Amino acid sequence: MGKKVAVPAFLSQEGKDYLTSHGMKLVEIPDMRAETIAAQAADVDGIVEMVDPFPNEMADKMPNLKIIARHGVGYDNVDQDYFGKRGIWVTITPHANASTVAETTLAAMLDLSKNYTTVVNKMAAGDWAYAGAHKGVDLAGKTLGIMGYGRIGRMVAKKASALDMKVIAYDPFAKGDDYAEIVDRDDLIKNSDFITLHMLVTPETTHGFGEREFKMMKKIAYLINFGRAALVDQDAERAALNNGDIAGAAVDVYDDEPLPDDDSWRSTKNVLLTPHIASNTKECMARMATDAASECVRVLNGEDPQWPVNKLN
């Protein structure tokens, strides 16, 4: 009998097909809450995990588990070291979404610079004059600051190079290249017209962008976060927007998801809100599903994974 792999019912078909074509039996579950997984997939050998929290106690509730294959690059919802001690691999899909997230980041920057969504909505409501009184800004000649210069950050810089912007980046572990100059963190925050966040969530970066940083930004600057909610003190960001300390922001990730109807983000000024869509294209979802599925197949066939973020003890 083939090994069992739990997948969300909404996983791209390409990922499901990859698993079944390699002899795996699918256990499709309606959502990725821990209680649902424990109730419907306790005996699986592997799982394709999304962004929901995957508590440590799941190791006891799922005695056959050998791999948690994250559908994406972030893994702050899984304690990878704990599961490594329990003999369970945690993997990611590092090559699947960089280009897509970079495209979405640039789309947000273009939208913010031209007030595009607001103008469209005002036009639909019959307000032709709004655009004339709320002019956008050119991107050419402006400075784009990229915080986190890994796969996604580098792809943002490469794509932004066509916009005639000056591109600078902060990353303590990266070197500059033809697209961006590496600079000091505070210098980036002070001098950028647009700042985009693409860092991993670590103890050092959690809420690392807060009141101090917003006060440091130009009043005409914008912050784009298509990375992780935990990178930003979102209370401080809402205050900065409502007080006019910065010109605007694009937010795709939230402390509480899905965003509640009465969440204060919905009444915050000068913000473009999107529902965690940075990698939401058909092609990207297929790549992430297939890459996560391939990691399950490798591990359940007795091989080491290609993209682990932990070690087995």
Side-chain angles (χ1 to χ4, degrees):
M1 179 182 292
K3 299 293 180 67
K4 293 182 179 181
V5 179
V7 301
F10 52 84
L11 187 73
S12 290
Q13 190 62 42
E14 289 86 349
K16 296 178 184 179
D17 291 345
Y18 188 97
L19 289 165
T20 56
S21 68
H22 286 79
M24 302 293 151
K25 181 178 180 180
L26 298 186
V27 178
E28 298 191 41
I29 50 182
D31 63 69
M32 300 304 291
R33 294 179 298 165
E35 54 266 35
T36 303
I37 296 169
Q40 300 185 24
D43 63 340
V44 299
D45 304 283
I47 184 169
V48 174
E49 173 65 9
M50 308 302 277
V51 297
D52 300 77
F54 196 84
N56 290 352
E57 56 263 28
M58 296 299 284
D60 293 320
K61 295 179 180 180
M62 304 174 74
N64 299 332
L65 194 63
K66 298 295 186 294
I67 177 171
I68 303 164
R70 270 284 296 115
H71 183 276
V73 294
Y75 50 94
D76 47 297
N77 60 325
V78 181
D79 185 342
Q80 75 276 12
D81 292 332
Y82 175 84
F83 284 101
K85 293 175 182 177
R86 297 296 299 268
I88 300 168
W89 289 109
V90 177
T91 65
I92 59 173
T93 59
H95 305 299
N97 72 345
S99 181
T100 303
V101 174
E103 288 182 6
T104 312
T105 298
L106 292 189
M109 184 167 64
L110 287 162
D111 191 308
L112 290 172
S113 70
K114 304 301 183 285
N115 296 325
Y116 193 81
T117 294
T118 303
V119 168
V120 167
N121 290 337
K122 291 291 185 180
M123 173 71 176
D127 189 347
W128 178 275
Y130 179 88
H134 297 82
K135 293 179 174 63
V137 297
D138 287 346
L139 292 179
K142 301 298 192 299
T143 298
L144 170 61
I146 302 172
M147 298 189 69
Y149 206 55
R151 296 180 188 89
I152 296 173
R154 290 179 184 276
M155 191 67 71
V156 171
K158 180 180 179 181
K159 294 180 184 298
S161 66
L163 299 175
D164 296 324
M165 301 182 77
K166 178 182 179 181
V167 183
I168 57 178
Y170 166 74
D171 191 315
F173 307 106
K175 295 181 179 180
D177 54 23
D178 292 340
Y179 301 111
E181 174 191 359
I182 300 296
V183 299
D184 178 79
R185 181 179 187 273
D186 285 0
D187 286 342
L188 182 147
I189 295 170
K190 292 175 182 177
N191 295 318
S192 295
D193 299 293
F194 293 83
I195 298 174
T196 180
L197 307 181
H198 301 287
M199 300 168 288
L200 290 174
V201 174
T202 67
E204 292 73 29
T205 63
T206 297
H207 287 184
F209 212 102
E211 182 179 2
R212 172 182 178 273
E213 286 71 23
F214 288 113
K215 294 294 185 185
M216 198 183 299
M217 288 175 66
K218 298 179 181 179
K219 284 188 175 294
I220 59 169
Y222 299 81
L223 179 70
I224 300 169
N225 186 10
F226 280 78
R228 285 288 183 268
L231 295 172
V232 179
D233 179 338
Q234 298 202 340
D235 288 338
E237 183 172 12
R238 285 188 290 265
L241 288 163
N242 287 326
N243 295 336
D245 294 331
I246 62 174
V251 181
D252 188 52
V253 285
Y254 309 89
D255 292 330
D256 190 7
E257 296 185 6
L259 193 66
D261 291 342
D262 60 350
D263 194 281
S264 57
W265 268 123
R266 297 186 184 277
S267 58
T268 299
K269 298 178 181 178
N270 301 319
V271 63
L272 178 67
L273 303 177
T274 50
H276 208 140
I277 60 161
S279 57
N280 191 37
T281 67
K282 295 178 181 178
E283 296 90 345
C284 185
M285 289 295 160
R287 288 192 299 268
M288 288 196 291
T290 302
D291 285 357
S294 72
E295 289 290 71
C296 288
V297 169
R298 287 177 67 91
V299 168
L300 298 183
N301 281 336
E303 301 176 47
D304 287 342
Q306 294 186 79
W307 305 299
V309 293
N310 66 347
K311 296 180 180 180
L312 303 191
N313 296 336

